[in-house]
Amino acid sequence: MTDRAAEPGFPGLSQDSSRRAPGPEVLPKIEGYEVLEELPRGGQAAVYKAIRKADGRRVALKVLPFALLSSDSARRQFEREVELVLSLSHPNIVAVLDSGITRGQYYFAMEYIRGLTLDRYQAARCLSLRDKMQLFSLMCGAVTGAHQRGVIHRDLKPSNILVDDQGQPHVVDFGLAKAIGPLASDWAGRGSPT
């Protein structure tokens, strides 16, 4: 399995790091991973670049902050994101590789996509109309694939699409996704919002 990654992006997160707390960075300890650095933050979870020790693969670790562990709804939403992405299999949707709880810390590991957000990629490459349409077609294929599996992203925006060095877009950050059909029924029984 190859690492589809390409720097300096991370699934679903803007390049704005202003939400980080001042002071020295404290990296989490996740069993089986060497956490290297925090990536730009998104909504409620922190994301880190890490190496999976078992095979040396570079991954992106999404971690639920300790401050949210006491919230049943935050934990359920985090677990729901993992399950929804695991239900998807598409070359243009970031894949979850592993998930779990270690030392009370909820986490999941995803492909590390080395790339640029869609808007930055387009600005850096000065794409032709044909190239833009090809990129758009690939993104539509990914979103259609998710819809066919009963998953509505609900937060599609340039910062939630990373484009790698080969020009392949990757839809990321399913934290606000909604399940429909059989997936919604599964989650309704667990008390999770869909």
Side-chain angles (χ1 to χ4, degrees), residues 123-178:
R125 298 289 174 108
C126 298
L127 300 176
S128 69
L129 179 59
R130 179 183 177 87
D131 290 339
K132 288 178 188 177
M133 294 307 293
Q134 185 174 10
L135 196 59
F136 185 69
S137 176
L138 291 169
M139 291 182 294
C140 288
V143 172
T144 298
H147 290 177
Q148 290 171 339
R149 299 287 302 158
V151 178
I152 310 285
H153 190 284
R154 296 196 323 166
D155 196 22
L156 279 176
K157 56 188 176 186
S159 63
N160 284 341
I161 298 169
L162 295 178
V163 185
D164 65 25
D165 291 338
Q166 288 74 46
Q168 292 295 306
H170 304 272
V171 178
V172 298
D173 197 352
F174 283 76
L176 297 178
K178 179 176 182 170

Side-chain angles (χ1 to χ4, degrees), residues 6-9 114-118 120-121 124-125 161-164:
E7 223 127 70
R114 251 175 40 115
L116 297 172
T117 59
L118 179 61
R120 289 179 180 215
Y121 180 82
R125 298 289 174 108
I161 298 169
L162 295 178
V163 185
D164 65 25

Side-chain angles (χ1 to χ4, degrees), residues 25 28 33 40 43 59 70 82 84 87 102 110 121 154 172 176 187:
E25 186 176 6
Y33 295 90
V59 299
S70 62
V82 172
L84 290 178
S87 74
T102 182
M110 300 170 280
Y121 180 82
R154 296 196 323 166
V172 298
L176 297 178
W187 275 99

Side-chain angles (χ1 to χ4, degrees), residues 20-33:
R20 290 186 186 172
E25 186 176 6
V26 178
L27 299 175
K29 304 254 186 268
I30 305 293
E31 218 170 287
Y33 295 90

Side-chain angles (χ1 to χ4, degrees), residues 76 80 179 181-194:
R76 281 195 309 268
R80 186 171 123 274
L183 282 176
S185 300
D186 290 348
W187 275 99
R190 297 178 218 178
S192 177
T194 54

